[in-house]
């Protein structure tokens, strides 16, 4: 299947080029690359054998791809994904699904009616440390989980040193930017590890002098349907990357650093800490993400992160973003169905 699968990559920026390299390493040979910037197309085509280069999405569609990756700014995701789905093309959509819930249900219905594979890009679900933490939680080593402290952040101008952050989608409202949607992984991780949110109190704001028209800080407290409370924070402000979590349960505590790869577990029955470190290449999670997408296409099965999952995470993210105005009471939103 891999040898004969023609893959369209729409958007040849940093994440698009990463996926191209990884797909190539997994056996994909036939690429259609789409980007309005000729320089981006040239960079993305390096090392490939005769890829088709298109500066418009319409021209790329005319090449009849069998699968497609959408790596464009967030505001463009849904329209592209829907058009691909209607043509029966398997589609992988980089996070977030969109910057609006409008049209998400239609996309989910189209995917179901066409019987195609549609997968959300949530790479941290394939991160070795997160997967280890997930296994610990599933084994109930902590017993009942009471509360979680989860925080992360990075400095936006340092995110892509080769680019001017002011022109990137993350800093522009019209392209679906802002720290909440750009760092939506964190909210997806909360859902994946601990379950759905019942109620939340959140704040999102722009507090720095960075030149952008979107929020650069978001904080929240979530009460989950499971009874777990989560304190969460993310930002574009920290001059050194941070990504950490502390999980407190009736039988112990887990502390982990997802950048350093360290996992510390305190178990009451043993009365001591157990410390371990996973050594890994960060690209591993992206490779495994692409491997899962290709495997779902080959086997005709639903991905672990489908469109409905993407919709639920997006709904939570937009709830957080709705607090950006700071209007009293606006941020206290019940998500119970």
């Amino acid at each position: 299947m891999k040898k004969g699968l023609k893959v369209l990559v729409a958007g040849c920026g940093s994440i698009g080029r990463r996926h191209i390299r990884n797909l190539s390493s997994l056996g994909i040979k036939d690429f259609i690359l789409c980007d309005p910037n000729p320089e981006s197309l040239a960079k993305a085509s390096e090392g490939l054998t005769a890829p088709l280069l298109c500066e418009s999405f319409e021209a790329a569609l005319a090449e009849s791809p069998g699968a497609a990756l959408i790596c464009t700014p967030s505001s463009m995701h849904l329209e592209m994904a829907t058009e691909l789905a209607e043509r029966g093309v398997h589609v992988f959509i980089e996070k977030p699904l969109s910057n609006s819930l409008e049209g998400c249900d239609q996309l989910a219905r189209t995917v179901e009616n066409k019987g195609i594979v549609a997968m959300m890009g949530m790479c941290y679900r394939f991160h070795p440390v997160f997967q280890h933490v997930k296994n610990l939680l599933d084994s109930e080593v902590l017993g009942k989980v009471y509360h979680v402290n989860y925080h992360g952040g990075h400095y936006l101008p340092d995110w892509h040193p080769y680019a001017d952050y002011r022109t990137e989608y993350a800093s522009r409202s019209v392209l679906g930017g802002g720290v909440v949607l750009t760092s939506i992984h964190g909210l997806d991780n909360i859902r994946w590890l601990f379950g759905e949110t019942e109620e939340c109190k959140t704040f999102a704001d722009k507090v720095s002098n960075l030149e952008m028209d979107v929020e650069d800080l978001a904080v929240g407290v979530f009460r989950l349907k499971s009874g777990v409370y989560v304190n969460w924070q993310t930002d574009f402000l920290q001059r050194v990357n941070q990504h950490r979590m502390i999980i407190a349960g009736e039988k112990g505590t887990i502390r982990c650093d997802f950048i350093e790869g360290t996992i510390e577990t305190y178990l009451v029955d043993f009365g001591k800490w157990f410390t371990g470190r996973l050594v890994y290449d960060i690209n591993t999670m992206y490779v495994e993400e692409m491997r899962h997408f290709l495997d779902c296409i080959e086997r005709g099965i639903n991905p672990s992160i489908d469109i409905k999952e993407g919709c639920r995470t997006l709904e939570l993210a937009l709830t957080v973003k709705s607090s950006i105005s700071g209007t009293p009471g606006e941020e206290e939103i019940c998500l119970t169905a």
Side-chain angles (χ1 to χ4, degrees), residues 131-142 254 263 265:
Q131 290 188 328
H132 188 75
V133 171
K134 174 67 170 171
N135 289 336
L136 287 173
L137 292 171
D138 287 347
S139 72
E140 300 185 347
V141 67
L142 296 185
I254 297 172
I263 304 171
T265 307

Side-chain angles (χ1 to χ4, degrees), residues 37-225:
N37 187 330
E39 184 178 345
S40 295
L41 284 175
K43 287 181 180 179
S45 63
E46 292 176 0
L48 301 181
T49 302
L52 295 172
L53 306 183
C54 303
E55 294 186 18
S56 74
F57 187 55
E58 292 72 20
L61 288 175
E63 298 295 341
S64 302
L69 277 64
I70 300 177
C71 306
T72 54
S74 308
S75 60
M76 303 169 68
H77 287 182
L78 204 58
E79 183 178 353
M80 287 182 164
T82 301
E83 188 161 2
L84 287 160
E86 289 173 348
R87 292 169 177 254
V89 179
H90 303 296
V91 61
F92 174 94
I93 309 166
E94 260 303 333
K95 57 81 184 172
L97 178 59
S98 179
N99 61 337
S100 169
L101 286 172
E102 186 176 353
C104 291
D105 287 344
Q106 179 190 342
L107 174 60
R109 287 194 298 269
T110 301
V111 166
E112 185 173 357
N113 291 338
K114 294 291 184 177
I116 61 171
V117 172
M119 177 174 165
M120 283 302 310
M122 292 292 180
C123 58
Y124 282 103
R125 293 205 188 192
F126 300 88
H127 189 293
V129 179
F130 271 105
Q131 290 188 328
H132 188 75
V133 171
K134 174 67 170 171
N135 289 336
L136 287 173
L137 292 171
D138 287 347
S139 72
E140 300 185 347
V141 67
L142 296 185
K144 177 179 173 58
V145 174
Y146 294 132
H147 61 81
V148 179
N149 282 282
Y150 182 29
H151 73 275
H154 65 280
Y155 191 52
L156 185 61
D158 293 342
W159 187 32
H160 295 148
Y162 52 82
D164 183 343
Y165 80 92
R166 294 170 296 186
T167 66
E168 294 201 284
Y169 85 91
S171 67
R172 302 175 63 189
S173 177
V174 69
L175 297 180
V179 73
V180 175
L181 291 179
T182 303
S183 301
I184 196 172
H185 295 295
L187 296 172
D188 186 70
N189 291 333
I190 291 171
R191 291 188 54 251
W192 176 46
L193 295 175
F194 306 107
E196 302 296 344
T197 295
E198 185 168 70
E199 193 172 359
C200 61
K201 180 81 171 181
T202 63
F203 296 91
D205 200 359
K206 183 180 184 298
V207 301
S208 75
N209 60 359
L210 291 174
E211 297 179 48
M212 57 188 193
D213 64 349
V214 289
E215 80 283 354
D216 54 20
L217 170 68
V219 296
V221 178
F222 303 86
R223 180 165 60 86
L224 308 186
K225 293 181 179 180

